[in-house]
């Protein structure tokens, strides 16, 4: 028995043994946020925590009452499912392949471990339940009708059928963005069986295969209830069958669903809350569920396919893929260092292996390989954050090598990460900033994407943070020469500080200011100078040196007043005009954008400026206004746990402003008691008696009955177990934490 399996047994036993009061999975509602205020919604995804199989019905959007198809697998977050299946009764003709399946929203049942809907035109019920590498569709047809399953594939689909089984091989492709795009392709293998409700093969089904279409049809005498039991593999058809035998051979639909429910109980009930409203609990636990969609473990019984060298590797350790590090380094990875540090250690190991296999430390690692997306190289952040929290069970030196290569030998052009350094990058290395074009100047660098542009301020600030992370890791590893080389680069953000504007502004290659409108300059997404957010958001994008930023703003009082202004600053234009360029800047409060990741840490900066009561006021307001328990309940792109991890942390009264520094900010929690059952067998509780909408201001704080006068708590204090007790009142205590020092 390997150590990971042993650990899983111990963990499940210890968690289950401690939960006798309430099952908080009842508060999960995957439809929360399914209608986006402007951009991409959440998806009602069925899956097990951090596991490979994922499914959500293919539809135009939540509002639509018609399903296009039910997929067999979703290979990457937010990607359309593959092998889409239509279900039809009666005679099949060409029109059947384009016919949509009409549903009634009120008849849908959606849980992470179980889904069902009713196809109202054909009187068919469809249910689904996921395993790790397998799943079951249960379909209830009306009696005395022909039963049909219509499956589409790509032009590369290969189908075969035996006596009681069928195989499908499908090729999934993803094209990278930009000039000279590269198409990464990989095969997905499916082994399936069609049975009745008692697990007996249904021999009445016949199949036809025509190019990209596969038809299963059974006559009216076939059982009304059928099960499509299948397993997926990225390794081989043989492995798909092994996955089937391991997970599904003896499992009924109800047994698989029940087992999935138990696995969700283990992770969701790890955090128990008391107090708060039903609505707050629904938002909190649904947010927690969202953080478990990614990353996903694609190790299949000791083997995994790597899209980073297109080879199958042997390993008994999990191999995790599907991450968008620009989004998730901020809160989702730090949350995992508390809830499941061993998993985060395995994730750091996976990133390191991807570097070894591909030659670059990935930024958006997908199952098919690294996806070139967004800007900067923020994988640096999760390594320094994990290392300082004791996560070192991987080749640390190799990881350091990869982080260093990204920043020294890689280009900083957005959506080009993992390509060699170019002359344009030398300007950053020499002068400390990435150069902008002059107003109306034509692009001179052919590798810059025509839509994504240069994003020079965003790139400069992001890369500066990455160099800070690299420098700090070099210090931890005793690499004195590297530290001396890289530490000064952590101050490079100052090169773009405009003292009159009190914002970070772009400079051209000659070092001259490019005097744009920082509220609305830069075209779509402000990408000619910033990225998805304007200059008012990026004014605070110095997570690693808040003391230095405070000095630029004229000291604590000046910084506090400037932060007040952010939340009150007007658009100075109509919303329709603003959203032509600022479509990503949703969830606005003044110029603050709750709906985009670079804003997450900003409300917590009051803790550093001597006004923690304002952090308490702002975070409560933001949760209450922008995160509701309905289909409109997410203010921006949720990004597979990137945004909802902010909700989980903030609702508990904590937040990691600087990933890489092993401490958390304290704010006013939503609940009277939040208990985290740590994997080391200890518990950490956050107590806030009487917490409510109005009673939110911290008067005093105690860690294990020792009073503290600072809105900070270290990672070590949490992991040691104990409690953080907060005394709350309806009126702020403006002295508490006023002169707090940041933990060393």
């Amino acid at each position: 028995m390997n150590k990971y399996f042993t650990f899983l047994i111990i963990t499940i036993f210890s968690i289950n043994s401690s939960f006798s009061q309430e099952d908080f999975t009842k508060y999960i509602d995957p439809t929360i946020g399914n209608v986006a205020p402007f951009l991409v919604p959440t998806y009602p995804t069925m899956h097990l925590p951090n596991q490979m199989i994922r499914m959500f019905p293919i539809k135009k959007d939540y509002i639509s009452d018609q399903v296009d198809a039910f997929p067999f697998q979703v290979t990457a977050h937010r990607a359309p499912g593959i092998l889409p299946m239509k279900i039809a009764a009666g005679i099949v003709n060409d029109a059947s392949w384009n016919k949509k399946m009409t549903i009634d929203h009120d008849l849908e049942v959606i849980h992470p471990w179980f889904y069902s809907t009713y196809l109202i035109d054909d009187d068919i019920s469809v249910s689904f339940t996921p395993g790790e590498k397998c799943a079951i569709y249960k379909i209830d047809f009306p009696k005395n009708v022909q039963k049909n399953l219509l499956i589409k594939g790509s032009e590369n689909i290969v189908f075969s059928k035996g006596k009681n089984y069928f195989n499908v091989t499908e090729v999934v492709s993803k094209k990278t963005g930009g000039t000279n795009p590269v198409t990464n392709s990989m095969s997905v293998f499916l082994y399936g069986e069609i049975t009745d409700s008692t697990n007996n093969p249904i021999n009445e089904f016949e199949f036809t295969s025509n190019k990209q279409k596969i038809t299963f049809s059974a006559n009216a005498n076939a059982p009304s209830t059928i099960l499509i039991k299948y397993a997926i593999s990225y390794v081989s058809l043989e492995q798909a069958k092994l996955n089937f035998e391991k997970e599904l051979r003896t499992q009924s639909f109800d047994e698989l669903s029940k087992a999935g429910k138990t696995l969700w109980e283990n992770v969701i009930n790890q955090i128990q809350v008391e107090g708060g409203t039903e609505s707050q609990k629904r938002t909190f636990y649904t947010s927690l569920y969202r953080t478990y969609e990614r990353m996903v473990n694609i190790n299949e019984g000791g083997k995994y396919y790597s899209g980073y060298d297109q080879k199958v590797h042997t390993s008994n350790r999990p191999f995790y893929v599907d991450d968008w590090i620009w989004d998730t380094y901020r809160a989702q990875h730090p949350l995992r260092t508390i809830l499941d540090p061993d998993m985060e250690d395995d994730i750091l190991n996976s990133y390191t292996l991807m570097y070894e296999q591909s030659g670059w430390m990935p930024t958006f690692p997908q199952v098919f390989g690294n996806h070139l997306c967004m800007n900067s190289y923020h994988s640096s952040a999760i390594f320094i954050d994990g290392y300082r929290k004791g996560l070192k069970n991987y080749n640390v030196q190799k990881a350091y090598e990869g982080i260093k290569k990204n920043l020294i030998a890689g280009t900083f052009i957005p959506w080009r990460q993992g390509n060699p350094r170019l002359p344009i990058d030398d300007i950053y290395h020499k002068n400390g900033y990435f150069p902008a074009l002059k107003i109306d100047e034509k692009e001179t660098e052919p590798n810059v994407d025509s839509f994504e542009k240069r994003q020079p301020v965003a790139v400069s600030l992001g890369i500066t943070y990455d160099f800070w992370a690299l420098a700090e890791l070099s210090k931890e590893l005793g690499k004195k020469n590297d530290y001396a080389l890289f530490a000064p680069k952590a101050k490079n953000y100052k090169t773009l500080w405009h003292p009159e504007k009190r914002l970070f502004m772009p400079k051209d290659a000659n070092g001259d200011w490019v005097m744009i409108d920082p509220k609305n300059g830069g075209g779509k997404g402000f990408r000619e100078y910033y990225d998805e957010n304007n200059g008012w958001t990026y004014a605070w994008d110095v997570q690693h040196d808040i003391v230095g930023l405070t000095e630029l703003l004229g000291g604590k009082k000046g910084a506090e007043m400037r932060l007040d202004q952010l939340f009150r600053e007007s658009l100075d234009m109509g919303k329709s005009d603003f959203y032509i360029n600022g479509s990503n800047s949703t969830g606005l409060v003044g110029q603050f954008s709750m709906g985009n990741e670079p804003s997450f840490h900003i409300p917590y900066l009051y803790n550093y400026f001597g006004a923690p009561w304002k952090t308490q006021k702002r975070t409560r307001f933001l949760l209450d206004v922008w995160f509701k328990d309905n289909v409109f309940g997410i203010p921006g792109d949720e990004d597979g746990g990137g945004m909802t991890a902010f909700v989980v942390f903030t609702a508990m009264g904590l937040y990691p402003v600087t990933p890489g520094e092993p401490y958390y900010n304290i704010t006013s929690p939503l609940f009277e008691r939040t208990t985290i059952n740590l994997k080391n067998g200890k518990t950490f509780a956050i107590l806030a008696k009487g917490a409510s909408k109005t009673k939110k201001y911290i008067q005093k704080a105690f860690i294990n009955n020792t009073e503290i006068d600072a809105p900070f708590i270290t990672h070590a204090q949490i992991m040691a177990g104990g409690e953080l007790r907060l005394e709350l009142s309806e009126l702020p205590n403006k002295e508490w934490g006023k002169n707090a020092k940041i933990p060393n």
Side-chain angles (χ1 to χ4, degrees):
M1 181 180 293
N2 69 57
K3 63 179 180 179
Y4 298 99
F5 185 67
T6 304
F7 177 79
L8 178 62
I9 293 176
I10 294 171
T11 300
I12 289 175
F13 175 79
S14 63
I15 292 176
N16 280 341
S17 64
S18 61
F19 298 135
S20 56
Q21 297 181 2
E22 187 174 3
D23 176 13
F24 294 95
T25 62
K26 67 185 180 183
Y27 294 110
I28 299 173
D29 182 354
T31 69
I32 290 176
N34 283 184
V35 177
F38 203 95
L39 296 168
V40 179
T42 62
Y43 294 87
T45 309
M46 278 59 68
H47 63 100
L48 299 186
N50 301 106
Q51 292 300 331
M52 200 166 94
I53 288 285
R54 288 172 288 189
M55 194 285 286
F56 54 86
I58 300 171
K59 298 172 62 179
K60 179 181 178 182
D61 53 31
Y62 175 82
I63 301 298
S64 173
D65 69 341
Q66 292 187 312
V67 174
D68 293 331
F70 298 97
F72 280 87
Q73 170 67 327
V74 174
T75 55
H77 168 68
R78 226 159 71 179
I82 64 168
L83 298 173
M85 173 177 64
K86 292 182 184 291
I87 301 160
I91 303 301
V92 173
N93 53 40
D94 289 343
S96 303
W97 290 92
N98 297 317
K99 182 182 176 182
K100 297 180 184 294
M101 296 169 282
T102 303
I103 65 166
D104 181 337
H105 288 87
D106 296 331
L107 298 180
E108 280 190 303
V109 179
I110 306 176
H111 301 296
W113 58 88
F114 172 81
Y115 170 84
S116 72
T117 193
Y118 177 66
L119 308 184
I120 206 162
D121 291 338
D122 285 337
D123 190 25
I124 298 172
S125 294
V126 180
S127 302
F128 174 87
T129 187
E132 293 183 1
K133 272 70 179 177
C134 71
I136 303 176
Y137 274 102
K138 178 184 176 183
I139 305 170
D140 294 299
F141 286 93
K143 294 181 179 179
N144 303 318
V145 298
Q146 180 174 309
K147 303 157 185 68
N148 308 290
L149 311 174
L150 312 178
I151 303 171
K152 279 188 178 181
S154 72
E155 60 186 12
N156 298 310
I157 193 169
V158 177
F159 175 82
S160 63
K161 184 179 184 296
K163 183 177 180 181
N164 298 319
Y165 69 90
F166 64 97
N167 290 324
V168 180
T169 302
E170 174 68 301
V171 176
V172 178
S173 298
K174 179 72 175 183
K175 181 180 287 188
T176 62
T179 0
N180 303 318
V182 176
T183 299
N184 293 314
S185 298
M186 59 170 287
S187 295
V188 180
F189 305 95
L190 181 150
Y191 173 89
E193 297 183 5
I194 300 177
T195 74
D196 63 17
S197 59
T198 59
N199 213 33
N200 294 312
I202 299 179
N203 297 317
E204 290 91 341
F205 267 94
E206 297 180 356
F207 81 93
T208 58
S209 179
N210 180 17
K211 295 183 179 179
Q212 297 168 238
K213 298 178 179 179
I214 303 166
T215 305
F216 289 88
S217 294
N219 60 38
N221 297 323
S224 296
T225 297
I226 70 164
L227 303 180
I228 308 169
K229 305 176 70 173
Y230 67 94
I232 293 287
S233 173
Y234 299 146
V235 173
S236 66
L237 277 172
E238 179 185 14
Q239 185 62 49
K241 185 175 182 180
L242 290 173
N243 295 344
F244 185 97
E245 296 294 336
K246 177 183 177 182
E247 293 191 56
L248 277 191
R249 175 54 65 201
T250 61
Q251 287 277 71
S252 69
F253 183 93
D254 290 341
E255 288 169 336
L256 189 64
S257 180
K258 184 178 179 181
K261 170 71 160 52
T262 299
L263 288 172
W264 276 108
E265 289 172 5
N266 290 332
V267 296
I268 294 299
N269 292 337
Q270 188 180 0
I271 305 179
Q272 300 170 312
V273 302
E274 299 173 21
T277 66
E278 293 292 293
S279 175
Q280 288 170 334
K281 289 176 182 177
R282 280 169 46 80
T283 295
F284 177 77
Y285 283 108
T286 302
S287 297
L288 183 59
Y289 142 76
R290 292 286 178 195
T291 68
Y292 282 96
E293 192 214 345
R294 300 187 301 162
M295 300 172 76
V296 296
N297 175 21
I298 63 169
N299 189 305
E300 306 175 39
K303 296 179 182 178
Y304 68 88
Y305 169 81
S306 173
Y308 298 83
D309 60 3
Q310 294 78 50
K311 295 179 181 177
V312 174
H313 297 262
T314 300
S315 173
N316 287 324
R317 192 168 184 180
F319 186 74
Y320 287 96
V321 295
D322 201 2
D323 197 11
W324 297 356
I325 201 69
W326 190 86
D327 310 276
T328 58
Y329 88 90
R330 305 169 195 272
Q332 188 177 17
H333 282 271
L335 180 64
R336 203 155 34 228
T337 65
I338 296 173
L339 299 182
D340 199 335
D342 283 342
M343 180 187 293
E344 184 65 17
D345 225 339
D346 286 332
I347 285 170
L348 296 177
N349 180 62
S350 300
Y351 265 84
T352 305
L353 292 174
M354 292 178 216
Y355 162 64
E356 290 187 278
Q357 293 161 6
S358 70
W360 294 98
M361 186 66 76
T363 52
F364 272 53
Q366 305 290 281
V367 64
F368 47 76
N370 191 35
H371 177 47
L372 307 186
C373 194
M374 301 304 292
N375 62 62
S376 306
Y377 287 101
H378 290 331
S379 46
S380 59
I382 64 174
F383 280 97
I384 182 60
D385 193 56
Y387 190 90
R388 284 181 163 165
K389 294 173 180 176
L391 307 184
K392 305 173 184 178
N393 187 20
Y394 58 93
N395 189 334
V396 176
Q397 296 295 336
K398 183 62 69 173
Y400 179 83
E401 176 188 299
I403 296 166
K404 181 178 176 180
K405 179 182 177 182
N406 280 4
L407 292 171
I408 297 301
T411 185
F412 300 149
I413 297 174
W415 294 67
R416 299 293 184 272
Q417 302 97 317
N419 283 296
R421 176 172 166 174
L422 294 164
I424 192 174
D425 304 304
D426 296 339
I427 296 174
Y428 177 91
H429 289 284
K430 180 181 178 181
N431 300 323
Y433 67 90
F434 197 66
L437 295 172
K438 297 179 176 67
I439 295 174
D440 296 328
E441 181 183 2
K442 298 294 185 182
E443 181 56 67
T444 56
E445 171 52 62
N447 287 284
V448 172
D449 186 79
S450 59
F451 178 78
E452 293 297 335
K453 309 296 184 181
R454 291 192 178 192
Q455 307 175 17
V457 178
V459 168
S460 299
L461 298 174
I463 292 298
T464 296
Y465 172 80
D466 290 338
F467 269 115
W468 171 83
L470 176 61
E472 294 298 297
L473 189 54
S474 68
K475 181 169 64 175
E476 293 286 347
L477 298 179
K479 299 179 183 293
K480 295 181 180 179
N481 292 338
D482 277 5
Y483 180 73
L485 177 65
F486 300 134
K489 293 181 181 293
K491 304 292 184 179
N492 281 347
Y493 66 91
K494 295 182 179 181
T495 63
L496 294 184
W497 180 253
H498 196 289
E500 285 78 33
K501 294 284 188 182
R502 301 180 79 198
L503 298 167
F504 293 107
M505 294 283 286
K507 284 182 178 178
D508 65 23
N510 297 322
D512 297 325
W513 293 111
V514 182
M515 296 306 294
I516 60 159
D517 173 7
K519 283 186 178 178
N520 201 31
K524 295 288 180 68
F526 316 119
R527 289 176 173 88
E528 290 176 17
Y529 307 108
Y530 302 100
D531 182 27
E532 296 192 354
N533 303 272
N534 66 16
W536 280 79
T537 293
Y538 280 100
W540 310 96
D541 201 29
V542 190
Q543 295 160 273
H544 64 286
D545 189 11
I546 298 167
V547 171
L549 178 62
T550 305
E551 292 172 353
L552 291 177
L553 289 165
K556 287 186 176 181
K557 193 61 183 177
E560 177 191 347
M561 293 174 64
R562 185 63 165 175
L563 190 50
D564 286 343
Q565 185 181 356
L566 172 74
F567 287 102
R568 296 163 182 163
E569 182 71 15
S570 65
L571 288 178
D572 291 334
M573 68 195 80
K575 280 190 176 182
S576 59
D577 294 329
F578 178 80
Y579 281 126
I580 290 172
N581 292 333
S583 60
N584 293 87
S585 300
T586 52
L588 287 176
V589 179
Q591 285 286 324
F592 173 84
S593 169
M594 187 69 260
N596 207 262
E597 284 79 4
S599 295
F600 291 172
H601 71 288
I602 294 175
Y604 287 90
L605 294 179
Y606 285 115
N607 282 347
Y608 300 84
F609 300 158
W613 68 274
K614 290 186 177 180
T615 285
Q616 297 150 33
K617 172 188 171 184
R618 290 293 181 192
T619 55
R620 280 291 200 91
F621 177 82
L622 292 168
L623 287 181
D624 183 56
V625 168
W626 290 116
F627 296 96
K628 299 292 189 181
D629 64 329
N630 58 41
V631 293
F632 308 102
I634 301 290
D637 291 352
E638 185 270 341
D639 290 325
M643 183 172 294
T644 44
F646 166 87
V647 177
V648 173
F649 262 126
T650 303
M652 295 194 297
L654 305 170
Y655 193 73
V657 165
T658 309
E661 295 286 12
Y663 70 88
Y664 306 89
N665 276 244
I666 296 171
T667 190
S668 178
L670 288 184
F671 307 106
E672 291 192 79
R673 182 184 182 98
T674 302
T675 303
I676 306 172
N677 293 275
L678 302 169
K679 291 293 183 74
N680 60 14
K682 300 177 182 179
T683 61
F684 179 76
I686 302 159
L687 310 180
K689 186 177 180 180
S692 67
K693 186 178 181 67
T694 54
K695 192 173 182 179
K696 60 176 177 286
Y697 290 111
I698 299 173
Q699 307 299 300
K700 293 182 178 181
F702 302 84
I703 295 178
N704 298 329
N705 294 319
T706 299
E707 187 170 1
I708 61 171
D709 189 35
F712 307 108
I713 184 172
T714 68
H715 183 76
Q717 287 173 318
I718 292 175
M719 302 310 288
E723 66 180 32
L724 168 64
R725 179 164 57 87
L726 305 172
E727 294 184 2
L728 303 182
S729 176
E730 292 188 349
L731 301 178
N733 177 355
K734 298 179 181 178
E735 296 302 312
W736 183 79
K738 182 177 181 179
N739 300 308
K741 292 183 178 180
I742 302 171
N744 294 325

